[in-house]
Amino acid sequence: MESRAFRDAMGRFATGVTVITTKANKEVHGMTANAFMSVSLDPKLITVSIDNRANMLKKINCSGKFAVNVLSDLQQDISMHFAGQAKKYDEIPFAMFHNVPIIQGSLASVVCEVDRTYVVGDHTLFIGSVVDALLTEGNPLTFYDGKYRKYQPAEYV
Ligand code: FAD
């Protein structure tokens, strides 16, 4: 199968958008990611999949802690910034929660400790044990077919 066809097929799965944040050696680092999912309720576990070449990989391996910030539709600029698509911000609105940097205004900021990691092909799965979560009201930023999208509730009949 061609890589392009695989990527296109994966792009047909609509997702939200997150920014993963961590602090290692006193330096805060953020990275946009949509490969995020809930794994287990008891214990509370989530996973994120990070490219083995990403700077974030070393940062989380060093800190052992990270947050997953679920972005709202008002935060597309933040997503683009942390994907390296556009330098929109000089000052990022970070706050600290359980000693982990989070992005203010996110719909949810889920703080995790690294429970275990799995190197799978060219990515690494970080299983995070959830410490706490902070919630804000709003609508999600979504991503589908390689583009940011606006969220719209379905009509029920
Ligand atoms: P860098 O390239 O080093 O940093 C990313 C950007 O954030 C840079 O512009 C940097 O200047 C800025 N930045 C970082 N920390 C700070 C700070 N403290 N203050 C100000 N600016 C800062 N990749 C994956 O591995 N997994 C995914 O699930 C994934 N999903 C994605 C989903 C979407 C919608 C998009 C657009 C991209 C996704 N990517 C994913 C790609 C990933 O976001 C980029 O490749 C990213 O640049 C790699 O991050 P890095 O850790 O190497 O960070």
Side-chain angles (χ1 to χ4, degrees), residues 19-31 46 48 50 55-69 96-102 110-117 126-132:
V19 171
I20 300 167
T21 44
T22 194
K23 188 175 178 184
N25 298 326
K26 298 187 179 164
E27 274 187 31
V28 173
H29 189 75
M31 186 196 103
I46 59 95
V48 289
I50 298 183
N55 294 321
M56 181 55 87
L57 190 85
K58 295 177 236 68
K59 303 278 181 178
I60 299 184
N61 277 332
C62 173
S63 68
K65 279 181 165 189
F66 63 95
V68 181
N69 301 272
M96 296 303 283
F97 185 51
H98 293 275
N99 225 16
V100 176
I102 60 167
V110 183
V111 169
C112 304
E113 285 170 359
V114 175
D115 180 80
R116 63 198 99 160
T117 62
F126 285 86
I127 306 292
S129 171
V130 176
V131 174
D132 206 351

Side-chain angles (χ1 to χ4, degrees), residues 70-75 105-108 134-140:
V70 179
L71 300 187
S72 85
D73 58 359
L74 304 176
Q75 295 176 307
S106 302
L107 297 182
L134 205 62
L135 304 183
T136 307
E137 295 306 314
N139 290 320

Side-chain angles (χ1 to χ4, degrees), residues 36-41 44-47:
F36 159 64
M37 72 172 187
S38 170
V39 171
S40 161
L41 286 173
K44 296 176 188 63
L45 300 171
I46 59 95
T47 190

Side-chain angles (χ1 to χ4, degrees), residues 28-35 49 51 54-56 81-83 87:
V28 173
H29 189 75
M31 186 196 103
T32 301
N34 64 349
S49 177
D51 192 314
N55 294 321
M56 181 55 87
H81 180 98
F82 285 107
K87 278 272 178 196

